[in-house]
Amino acid sequence: MAAPAPSLPPDDADPTFAELLAGRPDLAAHAQDGLTMEDVPLARIAAEIGTPTWVYSAATLRRRYRAMQAALSEAALDCEIHFAVKANPNLAVLRTLAREGAGADIVSEGELRTALAAGIAPHHVVFSGVGKTMRELRFAIGQGVGQINAESVEEIAMISAAATELGRTVDVAIRVNPDVDPLTHAKITTGKSENKFGVAMADAPALYARMAATPGIRPAGIATHIGSQITAGMGAYAAAYRALADLVRALRAQGLPVDRVDCGGGLGIPYRNEPAPSPAALAGAIRTTLGNLGVRLMMEPGRWIAGPAGVLLASVVLSKRNGARRFVILDAAMNDLVRPAMYEAWHGIVPVSPTDYVAPVSSCDVVGPVCETGDTFARNRGLPTLEPGSLVAFLDAGAYGAAMSSTYNARPLAAEVLVDGARFGVVRERQTPEALLAGQRLPDWYAA
C-alpha cells in the first residue's frame, strides 16, 4: 500500500515526491517499507551496505532498452543499439544490457576492456572519441572492433598505421560535425562548429575519398553525435540527419560506398519537469530523413536507458542553520555526484523513510561535506525535517553518476548495488581507505 503524498505545490514549484515517483515505475513509496526499488526497500540496502551507495534497477534497464528497441522496430528501422559505456561502465549494468542484445559505444581502451569483460562481442563495439591514442587503436583493431569512428584526417592516418602494422583492415566511419545547436547545456553540445568533435561537413567528401584509398581502412559510412540531454524536440536531430542524408547521396554520386550511418545518441530524460522526448519521436526523425537510403543504421543511447535506472542513496550527517537558511548535510558529496556542481543539474531528492515521505516540507539547501561551496546538490529544495541518519535518494542517477565520481578530499568511491526483483547484490565494493593509498609510494630518497 502506497503512503499518501504531500500536498501539491504551486504549478511553478518543484514536483512533489509523488509526482517524481509517478514517472519512475520501478520506484515506489510504501507505508511500512518506505522507498523501494523493485521489491527491495532502500533502507535495507543502506542498513547492509552503508551509504553513500549507488543502486541500479535491472528491470528499468531492461524496460527502457526494450522500449528503445520497440520504437525502432515500429518505425521499420533496422538499427543497432550500442549503449554508451561512458554513461555507466559498471559490469553488471553492461551485462544486463548485453543480455538484451545491446552493443557498446566506447571512447577509450578502458571502456573497451570493460565492455569485453561484460560479455559484449568485439564486433558489436563502436570506438568513438576525439583523442584515440596509437596504443588504444592497436588494441581495438587487434580485438576486432566492429567500427572506428574517425574524427580527423590525422586520426585516419593513425588508424591506417595501426591497422597495417597489425596486418588488418578495419571498418571506419567518418564523424561529421553538422553545426546544429541541440539547445542543451553548453558543456555537452558536441555538434556545433566550435566543438572539438568531428570534421566539417564541407570537408567530409574529400576526406572520405581519401580514406577509400588509404591502406588498412575499409570506408564504412558516416557518423554524427550532436550532444547530450537533448529535450528540445526533434528539430536539431532532423537537421543533422538531413545533412547526413545529403552527404550519403553526394558520396554515392562519386562512386564511393556508404553502407552505414551512426546516428549518435543524446536523447534526454526529464530530471525535473522538462519535456520528455520519446524514442518513437527519435525513431520518426531517423526514418523520415535516413530511412530510404538503404543503409545500416546505428545509434548510441546512454543516459536515456541508464539514467532513470539508478539512485544515489545517502544519509543525513546533520542539519544546521546559518541565520534563516537551513542546510541539510549529507554523507554524499560532489565527488560522488558531480552533475549539480558541473552542470547546475537538478536531481529529485526523495526521503526514504515512510514517515519522512509524508511529513511537512520546508525550504533547505542540500549539501555535502566537501570543502567547497560548489558541493551543493540543491538550493531552496522542499524537504521535511531530517534527523541525523535519515536516508534520502537522488533520482535519475544511473547515468554520469558513478562514472564521473572521484576521490576528491580523499573520499573513497561509493559502493554500487544491482537490484533485480526481490534480490540485490553488491556489484562494486566500497573503496577502502587503504585502497586510496594503494599505488602511492615515497621516492627512494625519503627512505632514510
Side-chain angles (χ1 to χ4, degrees), residues 269-289:
I269 60 174
Y271 286 95
R272 185 173 181 264
N273 52 11
E274 308 94 318
S278 68
L282 180 57
I286 295 172
R287 179 179 180 179
T288 57
T289 53

Side-chain angles (χ1 to χ4, degrees), residues 3-233:
S7 59
L8 290 174
D11 290 342
D12 60 350
D14 290 335
T16 66
F17 304 146
E19 288 170 334
L20 286 168
L21 297 188
R24 295 154 179 85
D26 294 305
L27 291 171
H30 291 274
Q32 292 183 333
D33 293 332
L35 193 61
T36 63
M37 177 178 280
E38 300 188 33
D39 298 322
V40 178
L42 290 177
R44 179 182 163 199
I45 293 175
E48 295 189 24
I49 311 301
T51 58
T53 293
W54 306 94
V55 188
Y56 309 124
S57 163
T60 305
L61 292 168
R62 296 186 190 108
R63 176 170 48 80
R64 293 183 73 84
Y65 178 86
R66 292 170 187 175
M68 181 73 73
Q69 194 174 50
L72 295 168
S73 296
E74 289 167 9
L77 294 173
D78 180 15
C79 185
E80 298 176 9
I81 299 175
H82 295 85
F83 176 72
V85 174
K86 60 182 174 287
N88 191 320
N90 184 276
L91 280 176
V93 168
L94 297 181
R95 177 67 64 87
T96 301
L97 294 173
R99 287 179 170 178
E100 294 295 309
D105 171 73
I106 58 103
V107 294
S108 70
E109 177 182 337
E111 287 190 354
L112 175 54
R113 290 181 181 273
T114 303
L116 297 176
I120 297 174
H123 71 268
H124 210 181
V125 174
V126 174
F127 193 177
S128 302
V130 72
K132 310 173 191 73
T133 66
M134 283 297 292
R135 170 196 165 99
E136 290 177 316
L137 289 170
R138 290 189 190 101
F139 180 73
I141 294 168
Q143 292 295 313
V145 296
Q147 179 174 303
I148 298 176
N149 290 347
E151 305 219 10
S152 64
V153 62
E154 294 82 2
E155 188 173 78
I156 288 172
M158 293 171 65
I159 296 169
S160 174
T164 53
E165 177 184 317
L166 295 171
R168 301 285 188 90
T169 298
V170 59
D171 288 350
V172 179
I174 289 181
R175 176 172 175 175
V176 296
N177 187 319
D179 192 22
V180 298
D181 187 352
L183 303 177
T184 187
H185 194 285
K187 292 181 181 178
I188 50 177
T189 60
T190 58
K192 297 173 68 176
S193 60
E194 64 262 34
N195 298 143
K196 65 183 179 180
F197 300 97
V199 303
M201 293 291 295
D203 298 334
L207 186 55
Y208 198 88
R210 178 174 178 173
M211 188 170 71
T214 301
I217 289 178
R218 181 187 301 109
I222 54 177
T224 197
H225 193 294
I226 62 173
S228 185
Q229 184 52 12
I230 298 171
T231 59

